[in-house]
Amino acid sequence: MTPATTPRILLAVTFYNGRDFARRTLESVARLDLTGFDLDVLVLDDCSPEPGFSDYLGELAREFGATYYRSPRNLGIPRNVNLGLATAQKLAYDYVIISNSDVIYSENAVKVLFDVISSSPSAASATAWSTNVDPYSLPNGTEMYIETQEVADLIGDALSHRFGSEALRIPAGISFAMIIPVAVLPVVGLMDPVFGRGYGEESDWSARATNAGYDHLLAKGSFVYHAGRGSTLAAGVVSQTDIADWSNQHIVNHRSPMFRWSVDGFLRSHVLEEAQIAAAQALVVAAASRWGYVVIDGTRDWEDADPKVVSVAIRSQANEMCTATWCGFTVEIDTDTIDVLGAIREYFGGAEPISTNIPAATWEGAEEFGYPLGV
């Protein structure tokens, strides 16, 4: 019997400038869990114009054991992505991941993506949860605390523990961190260079894959932080006020008239919203388990806690929910009960808050009935 070969994945990271985050991105890639597959990294420099950046990026690639290639002229995002796809085909990889450069991979992100795609023979792509990747972003009020490897890893751990290799069928993949089986490329093809410098090419590719009978999946247990517009702003694809080149969407609409309706129907179904809520709950509970939580009555003075500590804002009216917030992720806690603090403790598995600005109850019967708000 011939022994089974280990699946091979090519991770193609596309760059256009990006000195501020290049090292951070490649460091996160170097820390990836590679259980179950072999991974090679290809750094694709789209003729970055910043003086000295290409030399710097080439040195970084060598430092982290990646292969570096600089295009002799600027190709634009679709063509640069195609270099990664075509290389994976030519060198007979099993899977290829197309990745933006302004990202932080959670340690288990690629492992979960691989587990999802390898167990889904009808899938053309699997995309990770992220930030700044509409519509597959986990709702977040502020990203200033997420932009670290430690927090990205905790998010990845919490999501994989909660969802494992569960996947949600979606209308399109997004190539900020999207894994593709190389076997689908001869059928679907590469990205279309008609999209110029970028935007719309992955929607067009996804629509073509759907028309060929393939599915697209959201890997609910995978997380890759995405800063957003790391290269597209520098390349002039978007401006400070625009998040996309909307003119390219007309091409998609003309070629695949039903694509926009499939996206609209998917969003209106609320299945994505339900998954986002479940994911945020998993993150808040996991963070409280690691760093604890505090309970705050906003009508009293309090001291700001470490941002990694979960903050629970007590309700001010009997019909309101309490809210728990961690690093910009906010969830509601059902406290429709006399014992509000007891409901909060139950939400966090019985753990006590590490601090609170709520004074101890002094009224008769508090020990039996709890501490109702307003007493």
Side-chain angles (χ1 to χ4, degrees):
M1 179 181 293
T2 303
T5 58
T6 303
R8 299 170 63 233
I9 301 175
L10 179 67
L11 173 56
V13 188
T14 57
F15 275 88
Y16 183 84
N17 291 344
R19 186 181 294 270
D20 291 343
F21 47 76
R23 172 173 286 278
R24 184 186 69 188
T25 296
L26 294 183
E27 283 179 343
S28 78
V29 169
R31 297 176 67 259
L32 287 169
D33 180 357
L34 306 182
T35 303
F37 56 87
D38 292 330
L39 182 77
D40 292 321
V41 181
L42 175 62
V43 174
L44 296 171
D45 180 357
D46 195 13
C47 196
S48 297
E50 180 190 328
F53 175 73
S54 291
D55 290 337
Y56 168 71
L57 184 59
E59 292 172 1
L60 275 183
R62 286 188 290 273
E63 177 182 342
F64 290 104
T67 299
Y68 171 78
Y69 176 75
R70 183 180 192 269
S71 299
R73 63 181 179 86
N74 180 250
L75 299 174
I77 294 172
R79 291 182 178 89
N80 203 27
V81 166
N82 282 346
L83 287 178
L85 298 177
T87 300
Q89 277 189 288
K90 185 177 180 62
L91 299 182
Y93 281 87
D94 298 290
Y95 303 93
V96 55
I97 297 174
I98 299 302
S99 175
N100 281 15
S101 54
D102 54 337
V103 295
I104 301 175
Y105 280 82
S106 64
E107 185 176 5
N108 60 2
V110 170
K111 182 182 184 306
V112 176
L113 284 172
F114 169 72
D115 289 343
V116 168
I117 200 72
S118 62
S119 61
S120 308
S122 65
S125 74
T127 301
W129 283 118
S130 190
T131 51
N132 287 310
V133 180
D134 287 337
Y136 313 132
S137 296
L138 296 177
N140 185 270
T142 175
E143 295 175 19
M144 62 183 298
Y145 302 122
I146 308 178
E147 205 168 11
T148 69
Q149 187 68 59
E150 180 185 22
V151 174
D153 285 345
L154 185 138
I155 294 173
D157 288 343
L159 293 178
S160 63
H161 179 74
R162 169 65 178 81
F163 297 109
S165 58
E166 287 183 31
L168 181 66
R169 187 177 176 185
I170 55 178
I174 297 183
S175 56
F176 85 101
M178 179 174 74
I179 189 169
I180 299 170
V182 172
V184 311
L185 294 177
V187 178
V188 181
L190 306 182
M191 303 290 172
D192 194 330
V194 74
F195 290 93
R197 288 179 298 173
Y199 276 109
E201 70 278 1
E202 68 235 293
S203 296
D204 174 70
W205 185 89
S206 295
R208 285 188 277 131
T210 299
N211 292 338
Y214 292 105
D215 297 325
H216 302 286
L217 303 174
L218 176 68
K220 294 163 69 175
S222 180
F223 178 79
V224 180
Y225 169 81
H226 179 225
R229 306 199 299 177
S231 295
T232 52
L233 185 61
V237 177
V238 298
S239 66
Q240 291 286 357
T241 56
D242 292 325
I243 62 171
D245 181 355
W246 298 113
S247 63
N248 281 354
Q249 191 61 43
H250 296 307
I251 302 174
V252 180
N253 294 342
H254 175 72
R255 289 179 168 181
S256 305
M258 294 303 297
F259 176 76
R260 61 185 296 184
W261 301 113
S262 67
V263 173
D264 185 62
F266 170 71
L267 296 178
R268 288 176 180 271
S269 72
H270 299 297
V271 294
L272 179 63
E273 181 182 2
E274 292 169 2
Q276 289 170 325
I277 292 172
Q281 290 172 339
L283 300 186
V284 168
V285 171
S289 177
R290 177 175 297 190
W291 290 301
Y293 71 96
V294 298
V295 179
I296 297 170
D297 177 357
T299 66
R300 302 174 183 272
D301 292 335
W302 75 88
E303 294 183 6
D304 289 332
D306 185 317
K308 289 186 292 190
V309 174
V310 175
S311 293
V312 179
I314 204 77
R315 71 190 191 194
S316 58
Q317 299 293 333
N319 62 343
E320 290 183 356
M321 296 281 193
C322 290
T323 57
T325 301
W326 173 72
C327 287
F329 298 105
T330 299
V331 298
E332 293 183 336
I333 302 176
D334 186 358
T335 53
D336 188 15
T337 175
I338 292 177
D339 187 2
V340 174
L341 296 180
I344 294 171
R345 285 192 293 270
E346 182 179 355
Y347 186 86
F348 292 109
E352 295 286 341
I354 59 177
S355 68
T356 180
N357 67 342
I358 300 176
T362 57
W363 67 291
E364 185 178 353
E367 197 171 296
E368 180 179 356
F369 298 109
Y371 181 39
L373 205 64
V375 175

